Amino acid sequence: MLSLSPEVALLVLGILLLATVFAGSLSSRFGLPALIGFLCLGMLAGVDGPGGIAFDDYLLTQGVGIACLIFILFSGGIDTDWRDVRRVATPALVLATGGVLISAGIMALAANLLLGFSPYQGFLLGAIIASTDAAAVFAILRSTGLDLHGDVPALIEVESGSNDPMAIFLVGAALMFITVPDFSPITLVPQFLLQMVLGAAVGFGAGYLLPEILKRSQYRHGGLAFVISIAAALIAYGLASVLGGNGFLAAYVAGLTAGNRTYRASTIVSTFQDGLAWLAQVVMFLTLGLLITPSNLTGVIVPGLAITFILMFIARPVSVFVCLAPFRQFGWRAKLFVSWAGLRGAVPIVLATFPIVAGVPSAFTIFNIVFFVVLLSSMIQGPTINWLANRLGLRAEQDVAGPVPADDAEL
């Protein structure tokens, strides 16, 4: 790529950001998630597209992805009502931990049988694609205005916002097994518990202090309130990570705690963080699109199709039905919808950069398969969510037309 002056580089960046927004809006008009437009524009601007931008810095992409996910999760937490969380906390946490583990296990077996991966490589691929993506789920539910009755939407949002830590932990564990031959699995359980407890504690502390600072200072009405909210998200993630906790969980809990406290600047902070989350999505998906070389995907079409359909029709449904079996308030219709609403987005692609940075064998194959899975599942599941909600009778307005089917009366 030719060297650009700072002025030209900033101009190109501005044009790319604006064009990405238009591409996302255009894809939404065709019933596709906005992330499809974001990714496609990034690929068009990349080395295989007319833009011709050569970008292959996986470490930088990983850093951009992590930074963007912090604000996406923080904003998602701010917009989540604590009353909804309390109602679905137990099933959501079971699904966010056990569900991810079950999905990862099934996908590991599939990768071992279909792709010839070693058990650890298969588990690495399974862990990367096992979690649903908070950015994709929040975006599709809110942009479509999908109004579901009962606790189904709360369950989907809380699960998607809290299952990334489990996926990240499993990816880290798989990388340790691959790169450190004498790594002991005995240390995994206490390490996982420590990460979750510290992440939740630090997130709660950061989320509690944000309103207190704004209440007691002169910044509650000015633009510096926005700066303080950004600082809260970054401190939550950074401090939790430094202490050995899970930074992504801390960012989500910080947003959840701050968003459910009353303070005078709460509305403008929420609006600002929502805009910042959208900017983070645009930047993240654009960067990921630039990183993708479409010509490299031709070799993974067949395995990508197989992995995608196993994930959508076997791994995700099995994990949902197993994890939600003890919770009778969710009937089979709700479980089926939750299974289908498990959208994949940027998180798996960001996680797929970890094996490349770590120098894991077959890392580039894993990356290309993960991107193919995300792209295909978004194009299939995203546009059909509204249709499925109608077919299953889960829309709130459908309650007016008649009673809920007997098998789902507990919804």
Side-chain angles (χ1 to χ4, degrees):
M1 185 177 68
L2 294 175
S3 177
L4 300 177
S5 67
E7 295 82 4
V8 175
L10 291 173
L11 174 62
V12 171
L13 178 60
I15 292 173
L16 278 177
L17 289 176
L18 188 60
T20 305
V21 173
F22 289 148
S25 300
L26 182 62
S27 65
S28 298
R29 290 187 179 183
F30 290 96
L32 297 171
L35 69 90
I36 297 296
F38 300 160
L39 285 171
C40 288
L41 184 68
M43 288 189 288
L44 288 174
V47 67
D48 272 2
I53 299 176
F55 179 75
D56 60 355
D57 193 330
Y58 289 90
L59 184 60
L60 176 60
T61 301
Q62 186 182 104
V64 170
I66 290 173
C68 291
L69 285 173
I70 292 170
F71 294 108
I72 292 169
L73 290 169
F74 185 73
S75 174
I78 284 179
D79 291 338
T80 301
D81 194 326
W82 176 248
R83 291 169 295 184
D84 293 336
V85 174
R86 285 190 299 181
R87 293 200 310 271
V88 301
T90 302
L93 289 178
V94 171
L95 196 54
T97 52
V100 171
L101 186 59
I102 292 172
S103 291
I106 294 174
M107 297 313 301
L109 179 61
N112 181 257
L113 295 176
L114 298 177
L115 307 179
F117 280 8
S118 69
Y120 289 151
Q121 288 175 324
F123 187 71
L124 177 60
L125 174 61
I128 288 172
I129 59 177
S131 70
T132 59
D133 187 72
V137 171
F138 292 154
I140 199 70
L141 290 181
R142 291 165 188 174
S143 64
T144 60
L146 189 59
D147 188 14
L148 305 173
H149 64 64
D151 292 334
V152 176
L155 175 66
I156 294 172
E157 289 205 12
V158 175
E159 182 223 352
S160 67
S162 57
N163 63 11
D164 292 338
M166 183 63 175
I168 294 166
F169 174 79
L170 292 179
V171 169
L175 289 175
M176 290 296 292
F177 281 123
I178 293 173
T179 58
V180 184
D182 58 346
F183 179 71
S184 174
I186 299 176
T187 62
L188 288 178
V189 174
Q191 185 181 355
F192 173 74
L193 294 176
L194 179 65
Q195 284 191 15
M196 298 302 108
V197 171
L198 282 176
V202 172
F204 177 79
Y208 181 85
L209 287 176
L210 170 60
E212 290 299 313
I213 293 173
L214 294 177
K215 282 179 181 179
R216 301 172 185 274
S217 70
Q218 69 273 29
Y219 305 134
R220 58 185 180 273
H221 297 303
L224 288 178
F226 304 152
V227 178
I228 294 174
S229 69
I230 292 174
L234 295 176
I235 289 173
Y237 175 86
L239 182 59
S241 299
V242 168
L243 295 178
N246 191 288
F248 292 105
L249 179 62
Y252 180 72
V253 172
L256 181 64
T257 304
N260 285 274
R261 298 197 62 205
T262 303
Y263 56 102
R264 297 180 69 176
S266 60
T267 301
I268 61 171
V269 167
S270 176
T271 302
F272 169 75
Q273 285 295 333
D274 182 63
L276 188 59
W278 274 106
L279 175 61
Q281 289 186 54
V282 170
V283 171
M284 180 167 58
F285 288 120
L286 177 61
T287 305
L288 292 172
L290 285 171
L291 189 66
I292 298 299
T293 304
S295 58
N296 292 338
L297 300 180
T298 56
V300 299
I301 291 178
V302 174
L305 283 170
I307 293 296
T308 301
F309 285 114
I310 291 173
L311 176 64
M312 291 194 301
F313 295 108
I314 298 178
R316 172 67 177 177
V318 167
S319 66
V320 170
F321 275 80
V322 169
C323 291
L324 295 184
F327 306 100
R328 298 183 60 83
Q329 70 266 37
F330 299 105
W332 71 267
R333 296 172 187 265
K335 294 171 186 172
L336 186 60
F337 183 82
V338 171
S339 300
W340 194 248
L343 297 173
R344 267 64 187 177
V347 171
I349 305 177
V350 172
L351 290 180
T353 63
F354 284 57
I356 295 176
V357 174
V360 172
S362 301
F364 286 97
T365 300
I366 291 175
F367 182 86
N368 289 327
I369 290 176
V370 168
F371 180 80
F372 190 88
V373 169
V374 169
L375 197 62
L376 191 60
S377 75
S378 298
M379 294 179 68
I380 295 174
Q381 292 174 279
T384 56
I385 283 184
N386 276 290
W387 173 83
L388 185 61
N390 287 326
R391 294 289 295 176
L392 295 176
L394 296 179
R395 279 187 174 274
E397 58 266 26
Q398 288 174 312
D399 291 340
V400 180
V404 179
D407 61 315
D408 265 350
E410 68 270 26
L411 279 174

